[in-house]
């Protein structure tokens, strides 16, 4: 009988965000795949988890995936974690999930921490329909991608690093327009968690006025405000008026 692969989210900052089920699974599997054994070793020590750690990251996932598939076929249960957040969401995991699916093996993803969901919720921007684009291309194809996203009439969610944030905000202004509303969240769940909301010019001024640290989530309102209001569900009072 083949084993089971678990995608286990880990805290993006606050260690208290680890779920009871995540700890239980990590204590039960045969071994754990991780991006950085040192970072994950600290997490496992905190929760008194003693399981073998095997490196699985962007630079070795192509070579390592087949060995993991073989171990699953031999009945081993395996977990994959990343340094922070949910595996496969802008982190290693997709290639392994595809391989497991292609081989018709079993896998489960536990619910848990990921940065873009809390950032989207607290943005105050329309979230009934959104597009998560992850990190933009570093160089080639960056402007093409931004142009494509600007044509999507829905809320856009991006990840960005501190050293690229000023450039990205300027490019958002260029491709989405000066009236675009944006929410910037950083250090989510950590001590210095911060969210700044405003139009793109206000966000550019904010970003340039201080040195931002930590992973940044940008939420961009690319929805026509009037259309968004028109598409909101009718309140109970409105239903009563219709019934009269």
């Amino acid at each position: 009988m083949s084993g089971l692969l678990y995608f286990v989210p880990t805290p993006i900052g606050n260690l208290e965000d680890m779920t009871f089920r995540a700890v239980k699974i990590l204590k039960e599997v045969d071994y754990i795949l991780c991006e950085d054994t040192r970072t994950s070793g600290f997490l496992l020590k905190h929760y008194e988890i003693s399981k073998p750690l095997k490196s699985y990251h962007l630079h070795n996932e192509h070579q390592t995936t087949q060995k993991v598939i073989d171990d699953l076929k031999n009945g081993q249960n395996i977990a994959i974690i990343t340094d922070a957040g949910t595996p496969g969401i802008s982190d290693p995991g997709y290639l392994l999930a595809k391989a497991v699916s292609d081989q018709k093996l079993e896998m489960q993803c536990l619910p848990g921490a990921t940065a873009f969901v809390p950032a989207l919720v607290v943005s105050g921007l329309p979230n009934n329909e959104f597009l998560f684009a992850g990190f933009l291309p570093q160089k080639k194809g960056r402007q093409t991608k931004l142009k494509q996203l600007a044509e999507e009439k829905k809320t856009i969610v991006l990840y960005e690093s501190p050293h690229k944030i000023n450039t990205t905000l300027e490019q958002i202004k260029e491709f989405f327009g000066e009236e675009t509303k944006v929410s910037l969240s950083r250090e989510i769940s950590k001590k210095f968690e911060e969210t700044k909301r405003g139009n793109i010019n206000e966000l550019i001024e904010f970003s340039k006025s201080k040195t931002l640290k930590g992973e940044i989530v940008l939420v961009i309102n690319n929805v026509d405000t009037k259309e968004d209001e028109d598409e909101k569900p009718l309140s109970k009072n409105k239903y009563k008026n219709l019934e009269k």
Side-chain angles (χ1 to χ4, degrees), residues 34-43 53 83:
C34 65
E35 281 187 277
D36 188 317
T37 55
R38 294 165 298 180
T39 301
S40 296
F42 173 79
L43 178 74
L53 284 172
D83 290 347

Side-chain angles (χ1 to χ4, degrees), residues 51-207:
K51 288 291 177 177
L53 284 172
K54 296 188 179 182
S55 181
Y56 188 89
H57 48 70
L58 292 174
H59 302 294
N60 75 350
E61 58 182 342
H62 288 275
Q63 304 96 302
T64 307
T65 294
Q66 186 55 53
K67 176 64 168 63
V68 178
I69 294 298
D70 292 341
D71 288 342
L72 289 169
K73 288 181 177 180
N74 289 329
Q76 294 193 63
N77 293 318
I78 303 165
I80 177 171
I81 61 177
T82 59
D83 290 347
T86 300
I89 303 297
S90 294
D91 276 325
Y94 163 70
L95 284 179
L96 188 54
K98 182 180 184 303
V100 171
S101 176
D102 290 345
Q103 293 294 320
K104 295 181 171 55
L105 299 171
E106 294 295 321
M107 58 181 162
Q108 293 180 8
C109 181
L110 278 62
T114 191
F116 79 84
V117 173
L120 176 62
V121 171
V122 303
S123 71
L125 299 176
N127 61 16
N128 59 308
E129 186 177 13
F130 64 92
L131 190 158
F132 172 67
F135 286 97
L136 292 170
Q138 289 296 307
K139 293 180 181 178
K140 187 177 180 180
R142 186 179 179 87
Q143 293 194 1
T144 300
K145 183 66 175 180
L146 281 164
K147 185 178 180 180
Q148 291 173 347
L149 293 175
E151 294 173 356
E152 297 282 350
K153 297 307 176 185
K154 59 188 69 172
T155 299
I156 308 295
V157 184
L158 300 173
Y159 284 163
E160 192 51 275
S161 60
H163 74 278
K164 296 279 290 186
I165 187 61
N166 290 337
T167 298
T168 300
L169 289 172
E170 292 285 359
Q171 290 176 325
I172 289 171
K173 179 179 178 179
E174 176 185 352
F175 287 94
F176 288 80
E178 292 191 5
E179 301 302 317
T180 303
K181 291 183 179 179
V182 179
S183 176
L184 183 157
S185 294
R186 67 183 191 91
E187 298 282 75
I188 293 172
S189 85
K190 300 178 184 177
K191 182 178 180 180
F192 298 106
E193 179 174 347
E194 180 179 28
T195 294
K196 175 68 176 178
R197 309 170 189 85
N199 64 44
I200 186 61
N201 286 320
E202 291 171 330
L203 267 293
I204 290 172
E205 182 180 350
F206 166 75
S207 179

